């Protein structure tokens, strides 16, 4: 992992985000931290509601208006703290240095604007190209994301394209400003399996050809194993385990990661029951005082309830947040 | 909800095509009035007054000997213009106010919506007449009154859509690409928000055509001797027992134009998946 040794492109420390709901203030992300090197492909894994998406959106200042709030932490990107930036500064980072790809390409594309216009709009904003040059560039970008027949598709509207082509169009939009980091929030969840593989292949190629760093939010550990250099596993708003994807998934050390891997169906299902993790994840308003996973953990001890364990280095670039690591 | 192409126009429901064709026909009549009209619409010929429909005067003549058909054709210009200009004014003002109120929110939204409530709380027609009686009759007064009163419906419709679209996924995507709020509002929210307003504007045009001719009938709009359908009906009502053609044909014309816009509005609503 040569990429992991160079200076980080993005360094997140102690990120905390809370939501103001009618039922009170809820801590959605608590003390999240990780490094991302240029050209690194990191998987951010966890169940629904574990704070993956909130983490990504908080970095770009795209939390829901008036409800989500960053309570603390830093997110140094190319030497500047994104969390302390004003709107004007964030607008210069968004699209230009950090691109974002969303889960559902159908609803994230403007229905009344052709994809060429939408891509051209980004190119014109960030690179000041004239309309004609922007159109040429849009065709290039569509070809770069392997859109079939880009010269014709450029004039299509979102509803005229297949799901895979829509996602390619959205990736082209996210890349139009020439970013160094691409945040992909479950980019393949809404697609069928064959298209999923093509889109992941495309992301890998973009990483290799352009040195793009990618944060891939997903709940699919298989995808992480196939594509990511590193992985961070989130549970109830915290990162519980982090490290090189291959070693973390081959030999997980946090009980939650172990449970998550055990509950995955294999490619050729045997006649045995999937090992589900017992219980439910805690609601964000009802976090236990100690380790959030302790109520569901087979190894829970008395000290688990005392205080939430922090991430500790356990060697080989791996970090685990569990009392059984580092103390014993 | 998509950019209209020829293929999509071909899929319009039959009602919309019939309505659209009727509107186009009226527009042609209005534009080509100097060539279509067999006689001068205001030239009097006191030797040929109150003639019933005949081969020379297809729709008869009025009490000053003017050709009713020619006045009807020239009147189409004014009545169509009143409907379309009034809608253009109210649509533009209402869309701008609605979009800004919905997108900016907060105090500005509250202020604009209370202004809207005050305007709506007066009966529409009474308020129009009150404003025109202050400004004086005529087309200019009509348009100013329309602008002051008519924006409210569009503002409501566009604001409601803007509130929804502001939270939509593609607006989030646009923000993630670094666009400014003004650009997001103008290029992404407004084009998506106006579909129901466009449908409404078609039935609104009917309202303004009826309103314009009603005001002219009451002597508050276009003034005689100009050829306008409301004026024609007002002048003809004295003779309704003896010269039915003076009032009946302009009445038909108003009904036909109103029907055209209504049919088109219904068809458009079906295509755009909205209801009025």
């Amino acid at each position: 992992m040569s990429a992991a040794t160079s200076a980080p492109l993005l360094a997140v420390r102690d990120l905390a985000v809370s939501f103001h709901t009618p039922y009170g203030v809820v801590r959605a992300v608590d003390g999240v931290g990780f490094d991302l090197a240029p050209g690194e492909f990191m998987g951010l894994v966890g169940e629904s509601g574990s704070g993956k998406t909130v983490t990504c959106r908080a970095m770009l200042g795209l939390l829901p208006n008036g409800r989500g709030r960053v309570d603390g932490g830093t997110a140094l990107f190319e030497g500047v703290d994104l969390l302390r930036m004003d709107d004007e500064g964030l607008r210069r980072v968004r699209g230009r240095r950090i691109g974002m790809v969303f889960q559902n390409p159908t609803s994230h594309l403007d229905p009344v604007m052709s994809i060429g216009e939408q891509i051209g709009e980004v190119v014109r904003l960030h690179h000041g190209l004239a309309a004609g040059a922007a159109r040429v560039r849009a065709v290039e970008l569509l070809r770069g994301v392997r859109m079939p027949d880009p010269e014709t598709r450029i004039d299509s509207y979102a509803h005229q394209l297949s799901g895979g082509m829509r996602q390619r169009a959205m990736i082209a939009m996210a890349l139009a400003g020439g970013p160094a980091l691409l945040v992909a929030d479950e980019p393949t969840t809404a697609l069928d399996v064959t298209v999923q593989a093509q889109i992941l292949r495309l992301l890998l190629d973009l990483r290799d050809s352009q040195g793009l760093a990618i944060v891939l939010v997903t709940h699919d550990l298989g995808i992480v194993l196939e594509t990511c250099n590193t992985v961070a596993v989130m549970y109830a708003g915290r990162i519980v385990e982090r490290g090189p994807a291959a070693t973390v998934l081959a030999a997980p050390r946090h009980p939650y990661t172990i449970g998550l891997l055990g509950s995955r169906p294999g490619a050729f299902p045997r006649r045995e029951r999937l090992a589900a993790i017992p219980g439910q994840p805690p609601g964000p308003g009802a976090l236990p005082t100690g380790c959030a996973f302790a109520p569901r953990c087979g190894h829970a001890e008395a000290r688990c309830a005392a205080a939430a364990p922090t991430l500790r280095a356990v060697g080989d670039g791996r970090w685990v947040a569990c009392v059984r690591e580092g103390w014993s | 909800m998509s950019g209209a192409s020829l293929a999509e126009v071909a899929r319009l429901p039959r009602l919309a095509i019939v309505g659209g064709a009727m509107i186009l026909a009226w527009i042609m009549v209005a534009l080509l009035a100097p060539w279509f009209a067999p006689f001068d619409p205001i030239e009097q010929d006191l030797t040929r007054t109150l003639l019933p429909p005949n081969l020379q005067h297809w729709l008869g003549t009025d009490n000053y000997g003017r050709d009713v058909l020619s006045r009807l054709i020239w009147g189409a210009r004014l009545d169509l213009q009143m409907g379309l200009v009034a809608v253009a004014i109210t649509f533009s003002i209402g869309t701008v106010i609605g979009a800004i109120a919905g997108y900016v929110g907060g105090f500005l939204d509250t202020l604009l919506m209370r202004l809207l409530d005050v305007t709506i709380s007066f009966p529409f027609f009474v308020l129009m007449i009150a404003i025109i009686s202050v400004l004086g009759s005529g087309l200019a007064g009509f348009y100013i009154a329309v602008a002051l009163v008519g924006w409210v419906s569009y503002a409501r419709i566009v604001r409601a859509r803007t509130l929804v679209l502001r939270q939509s996924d593609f607006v989030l995507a646009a923000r993630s690409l670094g666009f400014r709020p003004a650009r997001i509002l103008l290029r992404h929210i407004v084009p998506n928000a106006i579909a129901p307003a466009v449908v409404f504007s078609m039935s609104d045009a009917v309202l303004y055509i009826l309103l314009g001719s009603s005001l002219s009938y009451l002597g508050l709009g276009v003034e005689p001797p100009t050829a306008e359908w409301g004026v024609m009906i007002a002048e003809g009502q004295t003779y309704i027992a003896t010269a039915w053609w003076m009032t009946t044909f302009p009445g038909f014309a108003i009904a036909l134009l109103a029907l055209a816009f209504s049919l088109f509005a219904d068809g458009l609503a079906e295509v755009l998946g909205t209801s009025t």
Side-chain angles (χ1 to χ4, degrees), chain B residues 39-45 62-68 70-72 74-75 78-79 216 219 221-236 246:
Chain B
F39 295 92
D40 187 307
I42 36 182
E43 196 179 70
Q44 303 183 0
D45 182 353
D62 68 5
N63 52 327
Y64 293 110
R66 296 172 297 197
D67 182 48
V68 171
S70 302
R71 287 180 68 71
L72 205 69
W74 280 93
L78 265 181
D79 283 84
S216 303
V222 179
E223 292 180 31
T226 316
E228 194 278 334
W229 300 342
V231 171
M232 290 170 73
I233 294 174
E235 287 177 341
M246 277 181 69

Side-chain angles (χ1 to χ4, degrees), chain A residues 57 61-62 65 88 91 94-95 100 102 107-113 121-122 125-126 157 159 173-174, chain B residues 1-3 8 166-173 175-181 183 187-189 191-192:
Chain A
R57 287 180 60 170
L62 291 175
N65 274 343
E88 189 56 43
R91 275 198 288 273
R94 291 182 200 145
M100 190 149 181
F102 298 89
S107 63
H108 285 88
L109 289 169
D110 188 335
V112 301
M113 216 192 244
E121 201 185 6
V122 185
L125 174 73
H126 291 301
Y157 291 87
H159 71 278
M173 273 169 73
Chain B
M1 273 200 355
S2 59
E8 277 156 11
R166 190 173 66 162
Q167 307 290 339
S168 70
D169 287 342
F170 67 84
V171 166
L172 174 68
R175 289 174 64 205
S176 83
L177 291 166
F179 294 140
R180 292 173 177 286
R183 175 186 285 266
R187 296 268 289 160
H188 296 281
I189 292 183
N192 279 288

Side-chain angles (χ1 to χ4, degrees), chain A residues 25-325:
Chain A
V25 178
V26 159
R27 188 48 77 83
V29 168
D30 198 0
V32 161
F34 58 86
D35 283 349
L36 192 72
E40 182 177 337
F41 201 141
M42 185 183 95
L44 194 55
V45 194
E47 291 167 72
S48 306
S50 58
K52 312 171 300 245
T53 300
V54 173
T55 300
C56 296
R57 287 180 60 170
M59 291 189 301
L60 281 169
L62 291 175
L63 291 170
N65 274 343
R67 281 186 288 133
R69 210 183 69 215
V70 174
D71 294 327
T74 55
L76 285 179
F77 174 77
E78 295 182 329
V80 264
D81 187 357
L82 297 173
L83 303 181
R84 306 262 173 305
M85 238 178 210
D86 60 0
D87 281 354
E88 189 56 43
L90 275 174
R91 275 198 288 273
R92 274 196 292 270
V93 173
R94 291 182 200 145
R96 190 180 312 199
R97 301 307 303 152
I98 304 180
M100 190 149 181
V101 175
F102 298 89
Q103 175 175 351
N104 186 345
T106 310
S107 63
H108 285 88
L109 289 169
D110 188 335
V112 301
M113 216 192 244
S114 75
I115 57 165
E117 282 176 275
Q118 291 184 61
I119 298 168
E121 201 185 6
V122 185
V123 176
R124 286 156 73 177
L125 174 73
H126 291 301
H127 299 296
L129 292 186
R135 191 182 161 86
V136 173
R137 180 81 187 113
V139 172
E140 279 172 28
L141 283 159
L142 284 175
R143 190 172 291 122
V145 296
R146 291 189 218 120
M147 174 75 80
D149 196 10
E151 289 86 355
T152 318
R153 296 287 181 210
I154 189 171
D155 294 317
S156 303
Y157 291 87
H159 71 278
Q160 297 168 322
L161 301 174
S162 70
M165 287 195 271
R166 285 177 202 153
Q167 193 57 284
R168 286 177 202 278
M170 196 152 76
I171 294 173
M173 273 169 73
L175 295 176
L181 169 63
L182 189 69
V183 177
D185 189 355
E186 308 219 24
T188 59
T189 309
L191 305 173
D192 65 50
V193 183
T194 46
V195 182
Q196 231 178 55
Q198 292 168 12
I199 296 287
L200 292 171
R201 184 75 246 161
L202 172 66
L203 291 179
L204 277 174
D205 291 349
L206 289 169
R207 192 266 318 263
D208 294 338
S209 62
Q210 306 185 9
L212 199 63
I214 300 176
V215 174
L216 178 74
V217 173
T218 179
H219 53 252
D220 188 332
L221 291 167
I223 288 178
V224 173
L225 195 58
E226 287 160 28
T227 56
C228 297
N229 308 123
T230 53
V231 62
V233 181
M234 287 192 75
Y235 184 79
R238 291 166 173 273
I239 290 180
V240 294
E241 181 161 10
R242 168 159 79 77
T247 50
V248 167
L249 298 185
R253 294 175 73 156
H254 192 283
Y256 176 65
T257 320
I258 298 171
L260 210 55
L261 275 163
S263 59
R264 260 182 85 221
F268 303 99
R270 291 163 295 247
R271 287 176 180 275
E272 51 194 61
R273 298 190 62 135
L274 290 172
I277 304 175
Q280 295 286 324
L287 284 183
T289 44
C291 173
F293 187 62
R296 304 171 72 187
C297 181
H299 307 281
E301 306 163 23
R303 54 186 172 148
C304 292
T310 50
L311 272 180
R312 288 170 170 275
V314 294
D316 300 331
R318 297 183 57 176
W319 300 69
V320 181
C322 180
V323 288
R324 302 197 303 148
E325 300 284 349

